[in-house]
Amino acid sequence: MSCRVLLVDDDAAMRASTEQALELAGLSVTGFRSAEEVLDHAGPGLNGVVLSDIRMPGMDGMTLLQRLRDLDPDLPVILITGHAEVQLAVEAMRRGAYDFIEKPFAAQNLVATLRRALDHRALVLDNRRLRAAAGQRDDLEARLPGRSAAIIELRYRLRAIGASEADALITGPTGAGKEVVARAMHDLSPRAAKPFVAVNCAALPAAMIESELFGHEAGAFPGAMRARFGRFEHARGGTILLDEIGQMPLDLQAKLLRVLQDRVITRLGSNDAVPLDVRFIATAKTELAEDVARGSFREDLYWRLNVALLRVPPLSARREDIPLLFLQLVREAAARHSAPDRSPAPELLADLAARDWPGNVRELRNAADRFVLGLDWMPGASGPEGPRLAERVAGFERAVIAGAIAAHGGHLRRVYEQLGVSRKTLYEKMQKHGLDRRLIADDDDD
């Protein structure tokens, strides 16, 4: 896959002249007039860098920098600043920008900066591939952290399915991370450098649903003054995420089935078929098989989507992952809010693992944000209906041990000294509760 420069500048003349200068230097450039547009093309799978003006209407360069770092903190972002914006550029560097270049700039200086950034990006991607091949922590494990059997199985299936061209169905409860899985699947595929377009099926306006997805020609309906690409065409060569597909109206399901089968669309007001080179990924928070039985979802569409099925587990199915996951979310929140580091106590991590999280990872992320900001962050206790005393005691013991292992980075001596038990007792209890030995760091000091 060739290296790419994604150029963002709302000034059409400046964007065109910069593109031309970079192309003359042998670089592959794709220009965008807004920051929002480039987000569909950037991500962990991008073999390239982002070059953006810092002053733009709507989303500015600083906000784009933060959004891109949320997608992939190792993606080089270079900001173009004005003569009087050096202080702003310094702040951008503090927030993680790779570099900045001041207007007016010499083309050769910009090219040299971009080549360094592209070399850095190539090295990052090579290292990720090598770590993955060696069975070590890779980008996918960073996105879907945890050592429970449920999350390990999910990552295994994701690696196997992601690189294929097969359409896929992702199921799981609210907040479990279905869109994260879909985005990872896109980034693992040969389509990673192409757009990733998410369509919220539950929020599509009923009156404009076909125009929104398929596009329209000028005059197709009152107010259609000019032709417009739909969301499906915008994803050319990439991936379309049909989020919460179970909420899609039945009449539109029939049209979607035809698109999936024939890979063509017809814009409103036209009779010409437009070829569609995309991969479809759908998500659902309910079991679509049950929706089929109730008659609210087409059976033929269900089987067409269900080529590859991925189930995202709720947090209740992987409680031992909660302490490690919370620690990672706290680090991310501290960086996002430019807040000082706060380390949760082992007892607090154990309490988190014993609690119910109906909102799953999304709810845990909100708790991490409140913890970092020093707000009243602890969710309420579970309801009156709960497990028996013996189960609660065993669950608490398991959560305390998992929390201590996470808090001490896997160093067993610190864990059993803190818990006041022998090494042998600690091992026996880990075995009793099914705690994965891979929770323990490779460089254990015991």
Side-chain angles (χ1 to χ4, degrees), residues 112-126:
T113 301
L114 286 170
R115 290 197 188 282
R116 287 196 302 271
L118 288 167
D119 288 344
H120 172 78
R121 181 60 172 173
L123 184 61
V124 167
L125 295 179
D126 283 344

Side-chain angles (χ1 to χ4, degrees), residues 189 200 236 259 279 301 346 370 391:
S189 77
N200 186 340
R236 291 186 303 272
V259 173
R279 182 190 197 181
L301 179 57
R370 293 193 294 271
E391 294 171 345

Side-chain angles (χ1 to χ4, degrees), residues 162-236:
S164 74
E165 289 284 348
D167 293 336
L169 175 63
I170 302 170
T171 64
T174 298
K178 296 186 293 294
E179 187 166 349
V180 173
V181 172
R183 185 81 200 211
M185 187 177 293
H186 169 74
D187 290 335
L188 286 170
S189 77
R191 300 177 180 272
K194 299 295 183 178
F196 177 84
V197 176
V199 177
N200 186 340
C201 297
L204 288 171
M208 298 292 291
I209 195 167
E210 289 188 54
S211 172
E212 183 72 19
L213 297 184
F214 305 138
H216 63 255
E217 298 291 349
F221 51 83
M225 305 300 295
R226 58 182 180 179
R228 178 181 180 274
F229 279 0
R231 303 295 298 277
F232 284 4
E233 272 191 89
H234 180 60
R236 291 186 303 272

Side-chain angles (χ1 to χ4, degrees), residues 201-202 204 209-210 213-214 232 242-262 280 282-284 286 288-289 291-305:
C201 297
L204 288 171
I209 195 167
E210 289 188 54
L213 297 184
F214 305 138
F232 284 4
L242 300 169
D243 193 25
E244 296 304 340
I245 194 169
Q247 304 298 312
M248 181 176 282
L250 275 169
D251 58 339
L252 188 62
Q253 290 178 28
K255 295 177 181 177
L256 175 62
L257 177 64
R258 178 60 61 89
V259 173
L260 286 166
Q261 289 173 338
D262 300 339
F280 284 96
T283 68
T286 60
L288 289 184
D291 294 341
V292 169
R294 286 192 296 267
S296 60
F297 198 81
R298 292 180 63 103
E299 184 176 10
D300 46 7
L301 179 57
Y302 170 69
W303 290 115
R304 185 73 195 186
L305 286 168

Side-chain angles (χ1 to χ4, degrees), residues 151-410:
I151 203 68
I152 289 172
E153 172 66 15
L154 175 62
R155 290 198 299 261
Y156 174 80
R157 289 183 57 80
L158 186 49
R159 289 188 179 98
I161 297 169
S164 74
E165 289 284 348
D167 293 336
L169 175 63
I170 302 170
T171 64
T174 298
K178 296 186 293 294
E179 187 166 349
V180 173
V181 172
R183 185 81 200 211
M185 187 177 293
H186 169 74
D187 290 335
L188 286 170
S189 77
R191 300 177 180 272
K194 299 295 183 178
F196 177 84
V197 176
V199 177
N200 186 340
C201 297
L204 288 171
M208 298 292 291
I209 195 167
E210 289 188 54
S211 172
E212 183 72 19
L213 297 184
F214 305 138
H216 63 255
E217 298 291 349
F221 51 83
M225 305 300 295
R226 58 182 180 179
R228 178 181 180 274
F229 279 0
R231 303 295 298 277
F232 284 4
E233 272 191 89
H234 180 60
R236 291 186 303 272
T239 301
I240 294 173
L241 170 63
L242 300 169
D243 193 25
E244 296 304 340
I245 194 169
Q247 304 298 312
M248 181 176 282
L250 275 169
D251 58 339
L252 188 62
Q253 290 178 28
K255 295 177 181 177
L256 175 62
L257 177 64
R258 178 60 61 89
V259 173
L260 286 166
Q261 289 173 338
D262 300 339
R263 285 311 201 257
V264 296
I265 60 169
T266 304
R267 299 179 194 141
L268 289 180
S270 172
N271 293 319
D272 297 328
V274 179
L276 194 63
D277 174 25
V278 297
R279 182 190 197 181
F280 284 96
I281 299 175
T283 68
K285 62 185 175 185
T286 60
E287 287 294 336
L288 289 184
E290 297 176 4
D291 294 341
V292 169
R294 286 192 296 267
S296 60
F297 198 81
R298 292 180 63 103
E299 184 176 10
D300 46 7
L301 179 57
Y302 170 69
W303 290 115
R304 185 73 195 186
L305 286 168
N306 197 10
V307 177
L309 177 64
L310 288 168
R311 298 186 187 277
V312 184
L315 280 184
S316 59
R318 54 185 190 112
R319 288 187 181 275
E320 62 266 44
D321 291 338
I322 291 176
L324 285 172
L325 182 55
F326 187 74
L327 287 172
Q328 176 168 317
L329 293 173
V330 164
R331 288 193 297 269
E332 292 174 359
R336 191 164 54 250
H337 297 298
S338 300
D341 290 339
R342 295 185 64 194
S343 297
E347 295 81 4
L348 187 149
L349 292 174
D351 188 41
L352 291 177
R355 286 174 176 265
D356 290 329
W357 297 92
N360 293 292
V361 178
R362 185 180 299 142
E363 184 182 359
L364 191 65
R365 181 180 289 110
N366 291 342
D369 281 348
R370 293 193 294 271
F371 174 80
V372 165
L373 294 172
L375 303 176
D376 181 16
W377 65 279
M378 184 65 77
S382 303
E385 294 297 327
R388 296 176 157 226
L389 177 61
E391 294 171 345
R392 295 180 65 183
V393 171
F396 180 76
E397 183 179 67
R398 186 178 194 276
V400 167
I401 295 171
I405 291 172
H408 291 298

